Amino acid sequence: SQQGEEDPQALSIQEGENATMNCSYKTSINNLQWYRQNSGRGLVHLILIRSNEREKHSGRLRVTLDTSKKSSSLLITASQAADTASYFCATEKFGAGNMLTFGGGTRLMVKP
Amino acid sequence: EPEVTQTPSHQVTQMGQEVILRCVPISNHLYFYWYRQILGQKVEFLVSFYNNEISEKSEIFDDQFSVERPDGSNFTLKIRSTKLEDSAMYFCASSEARGFHEQYFGPGTRLTVT
């Protein structure tokens, strides 16, 4: 897979359920950032996890990072209809300055 | 909460014309970026800018593209002679510093080249 590839590509759940999205990457990274994008709109920054961190929480969001497997996961707990959006991981590669490399995203639909 | 702003929200231009996309980064941020997203595709890095010069650029950022910080608040992307394939959403972003710092994105400018 390419740097920063998410799976699944699409996810449909009921309101109240948890949603888990995964991201895999290939090279060593400085950090990994998760973003949300509502249809046709801008990218909203959700959370940044550094390469020396394993887990971070922010509200209903939980991000994990496993550098040995070169993978990350984003968990949204108790999903709401307003969480319907595309979610992207973006990696900042070690030694590549500030360039973020984005994955193709997971389209999440939360049904009320 | 401070945010990155971009103007215009939508720009329609004819092939071969010059366009300038404008951004106002978050005021205490030092690093500025442009990314683009062609419809249905991934967000792609174009260029990063620090201390009034380009610090990184991708292969997409060829001689047709240029960036400038004309004053203390604006950051612009110029495309000299637009092509059909330049049609995309262009995002500006900024960060406090490099490395372990979040990049905050603006709402984007949708560029349509006809």
Side-chain angles (χ1 to χ4, degrees):
Chain A
S1 62
Q2 296 178 32
Q3 186 81 354
E5 284 296 326
E6 293 90 338
D7 80 86
Q9 290 186 330
L11 182 61
S12 181
I13 58 174
Q14 293 293 137
E15 205 165 29
E17 292 180 341
N18 295 342
T20 300
M21 289 158 269
N22 302 297
C23 169
S24 60
Y25 57 91
K26 283 192 164 183
T27 64
S28 296
I29 60 170
N30 272 336
N31 65 71
L32 186 146
Q33 304 185 41
W34 283 92
Y35 290 84
R36 184 185 74 228
Q37 184 181 38
N38 291 83
S39 182
R41 308 286 291 278
L43 294 156
V44 175
H45 189 273
L46 296 176
I47 202 162
L48 177 152
I49 187 164
R50 300 183 180 192
S51 58
N52 61 351
E53 295 176 312
R54 292 297 166 256
E55 188 171 311
K56 271 187 100 165
H57 297 254
S58 176
R60 292 185 295 110
L61 306 180
R62 173 178 168 252
V63 167
T64 62
L65 179 66
D66 186 335
T67 53
S68 67
K69 294 181 179 176
K70 292 188 168 56
S71 67
S72 174
S73 67
L74 170 67
L75 168 68
I76 304 175
T77 60
S79 62
Q80 303 167 0
D83 295 328
T84 294
S86 290
Y87 291 82
F88 297 89
C89 70
T91 54
E92 185 180 313
K93 287 194 283 187
F94 188 76
N98 297 44
M99 182 180 80
L100 287 180
T101 303
F102 281 79
T106 293
R107 292 187 314 279
L108 173 67
M109 175 173 286
V110 181
K111 300 176 195 171
Chain B
E1 190 173 321
E3 57 183 20
V4 176
T5 59
Q6 290 185 244
T7 55
S9 56
H10 191 191
Q11 172 99 42
V12 181
T13 190
Q14 288 193 326
M15 199 166 52
Q17 295 295 304
E18 174 183 286
V19 293
I20 297 176
L21 309 183
R22 291 183 167 79
C23 168
V24 178
I26 294 172
S27 61
N28 65 331
H29 285 187
L30 300 177
Y31 285 82
F32 315 116
Y33 316 87
W34 285 100
Y35 291 81
R36 78 172 187 191
Q37 184 180 32
I38 294 171
L39 188 64
Q41 297 187 22
K42 296 182 182 183
V43 176
E44 300 172 290
F45 170 81
L46 293 178
V47 65
S48 61
F49 190 86
Y50 170 71
N51 201 25
N52 280 319
E53 59 183 33
I54 291 172
S55 49
E56 302 277 350
K57 62 180 182 178
S58 71
E59 59 270 16
I60 302 169
F61 194 87
D62 62 21
D63 292 344
Q64 292 300 310
F65 291 88
S66 62
V67 289
E68 193 180 27
R69 187 151 163 85
D71 53 44
S73 57
N74 290 283
F75 180 51
T76 62
L77 174 70
K78 181 193 290 185
I79 309 175
R80 275 183 252 286
S81 177
T82 51
K83 306 178 191 126
L84 294 176
E85 54 265 34
D86 293 327
S87 294
M89 182 76 96
Y90 287 81
F91 294 107
C92 174
S94 68
S95 65
E96 278 185 60
R98 63 186 294 157
F100 305 111
H101 288 270
E102 297 87 347
Q103 290 187 26
Y104 292 97
F105 283 69
T109 292
R110 181 165 297 285
L111 177 65
T112 302
V113 183
T114 61

